[in-house]
Amino acid sequence: MLMRTDPFREFDRLAQQVFGSTRPAVMPMDAYRSGDDFIVHFDLPGIDPETIELDVERNVLNVRAERRSPAPEDAEQLVSERPTGTFTRQLFLGDTLDTDRVDASYEAGVLTLRIPVAEQAKPRRIQITGGDRKQLGK
């Protein structure tokens, strides 16, 4: 049997039983713009999609997800390296994004959000009317 040497293993196990998870709950992400969309990918492996909550309030996107331990409550935990509990992340979205049209999907442990750029933020050509066109060009 392969054993990992960790002098603080028992302390970590005891602290987790008493206080809950001692490790910070992280939600790694990638974000980029592709054309007229802002794309965000969150790594959430092992998360039940039913526990994922998304909401936007005043251009702040809140992501919340929960991973429960697969072990029964009465089981003796031998190794616990996968974080459990509640994961949260906030993104501050600029006024240039259309927060009313956020599209979310969850596949293979990755939550993907597609947020379109707002129409008023897209570059547009302004038509010039009236006056003598020759004078405007000078």
Side-chain angles (χ1 to χ4, degrees):
M1 178 182 216
L2 180 63
M3 293 292 290
R4 188 179 99 188
T5 304
D6 183 356
F8 299 105
R9 181 180 65 207
E10 284 302 310
F11 177 74
D12 282 346
R13 185 184 62 77
L14 179 62
Q16 185 173 8
Q17 286 177 345
V18 174
F19 302 112
S21 178
T22 59
R23 297 175 189 93
V26 295
M27 188 184 299
M29 73 170 208
D30 290 333
Y32 56 91
R33 182 173 173 170
S34 177
D36 288 338
D37 290 326
F38 182 71
I39 313 295
V40 185
H41 300 286
F42 294 99
D43 281 349
L44 294 171
I47 299 289
D48 179 0
E50 296 294 319
T51 69
I52 299 173
E53 295 177 13
L54 297 170
D55 64 74
V56 177
E57 183 178 343
R58 295 187 180 193
N59 289 359
V60 177
L61 173 73
N62 295 296
V63 182
R64 183 182 179 283
E66 184 179 351
R67 180 186 300 129
R68 297 178 184 99
S69 174
E73 282 189 32
D74 60 342
E76 178 184 357
Q77 194 76 32
L78 301 175
V79 177
S80 178
E81 294 181 346
R82 297 173 52 213
T84 58
T86 302
F87 301 81
T88 60
R89 187 86 187 237
Q90 282 188 330
L91 291 180
F92 295 92
L93 306 175
D95 293 330
T96 60
L97 298 176
D98 189 349
T99 58
D100 292 331
R101 296 184 5 203
V102 176
D103 179 52
S105 62
Y106 181 76
E107 185 177 335
V110 178
L111 173 65
T112 299
L113 304 181
R114 184 175 297 273
I115 309 166
V117 173
E119 287 298 321
Q120 67 267 21
K122 292 180 184 175
R124 60 193 179 283
R125 187 169 182 89
I126 299 172
Q127 186 70 19
I128 301 171
T129 60
D132 185 5
R133 302 278 290 171
K134 291 181 184 177
Q135 288 179 354
L136 291 176
K138 290 184 181 180

